[in-house]
Amino acid sequence: MPSHRPRMTGEERRSRIAVRHHLAPGARAATVEQVALSLAALHGTDPATVHLAAGARLADPAGPVAAMERALYEDRALVRMHGMRHTVFVVPAALAPVVQASTTDAVAVRERATLLKHLAAGSTLDAEWLADVERSVLDALARRGEATAAELAEDEPRLREQFVYAPGTKYEQRQTVTTRLLRLLGTEARVVRGRPLGSWTSGRFRWAPAPALPGLPAAEARATLTRAYLASHGPATEADLKWWTGWKVTDVRKALAAVGAVAVDLDEGTTGHVLPGDTGPTAPPAPWAALLPALDPTPMGWQARDWFLPAAHRAALFDRSGNIGPTVWWNGRVIGGWAVRPGGEPVWRLLDPDPGREARAAIEAEAARLHAWLAPTRVTPRFRTPLERELSA
């Protein structure tokens, strides 16, 4: 029996990301804030990703690092925080309370319970001791305004206390309280990551007191985040939304119902969802190429990727944990990968058959555009993939 639902082809989906993700030259963004808002969230686990992802989408990428740092640390228009799937993201400030209530609050509860369990099993430290150290750390941070973990340990030496993690198991190791406590306070929205130590590629950050976030009902927040996700990534399946958020399938279905999501038929024979009124076609953009970084929010936006990424390419482009590396795109499909050599020079390789002169010229132009602002910085992804390692050698 034929379906009466709207159909959303792979070609339509590729046109959508070209425009909505600011990848086609005619659709590029004016600001880093616009990039983050249009994609709902930028992956921040690898600190370089947010800068590279923004640079790939800006009409004028001359200074994406300065623009991103200004938005994060001066204007506070963007916030780096733990979010979906217990992963660090950079999100628009207006979306921070939504991410916190929909996702991170539940993570924080588990994080605190786990830390207390580990302290009880691997030391004589208890909840009362931990609460007293927390108060001391927050007081020290309020006095300093911003501080490194080492500076906080100078003010509160008990941060250097150690405990045995997972005693009696193959994972047993000694850990200090510092990292675990700061991560916990971050998930509870009591501290926030400030400027990195060293360059913009550094994974070590200063810490600062977090601005107060308004409390939201969890169900309302999940609906709001679903609306933002579908506006950027729709059509998406239930499995896509569950994977992207880390929510339970029951919460996913309730959130889809709350926003009145419309079911559409996808090429893969699965059911996708879009926002009401969003089933119309997108005008195909002019041919486009893109060099997107490791963990870029476009390829990391869906669990099912066959409509833009051939399965044959995955061994070269993913690490063993499922993290995607730098990718080369042509008209909405991943056709290769890239890396950065010493001196900041991008080098790329195609995994598809030769796509033709127009594609090669467009990719070369994107590599030159990247090199113009990146050099002389060499960027090495935090999660390295086979092709990236080979190209950067």
Side-chain angles (χ1 to χ4, degrees), residues 231-251:
S232 170
H233 292 77
T237 66
E238 280 186 4
D240 290 330
L241 181 56
K242 179 179 183 297
W243 177 83
W244 189 79
T245 58
W247 298 339
K248 298 175 182 177
V249 68
T250 52
D251 290 330

Side-chain angles (χ1 to χ4, degrees), residues 22 38 43 82 93 161 202 249 315 341:
H22 303 296
S38 297
H43 275 260
H82 270 93
E161 289 279 357
S202 173
V249 68
R341 287 181 173 164

Side-chain angles (χ1 to χ4, degrees), residues 282-307:
T282 301
W288 60 276
L291 270 62
L292 300 185
L295 296 179
D296 184 86
T298 295
M300 291 296 289
W302 298 268
Q303 183 184 48
R305 302 180 174 102
D306 289 347
W307 56 278

Side-chain angles (χ1 to χ4, degrees), residues 322-359:
N323 300 302
I324 195 167
T327 49
V328 175
W329 293 65
W330 175 241
N331 289 339
R333 289 186 171 91
V334 175
I335 64 169
W338 61 277
V340 179
R341 287 181 173 164
E345 178 192 1
V347 57
W348 49 276
R349 179 184 298 168
L350 301 183
L351 299 173
D352 272 5
D354 188 345
R357 182 182 301 174
E358 183 182 26

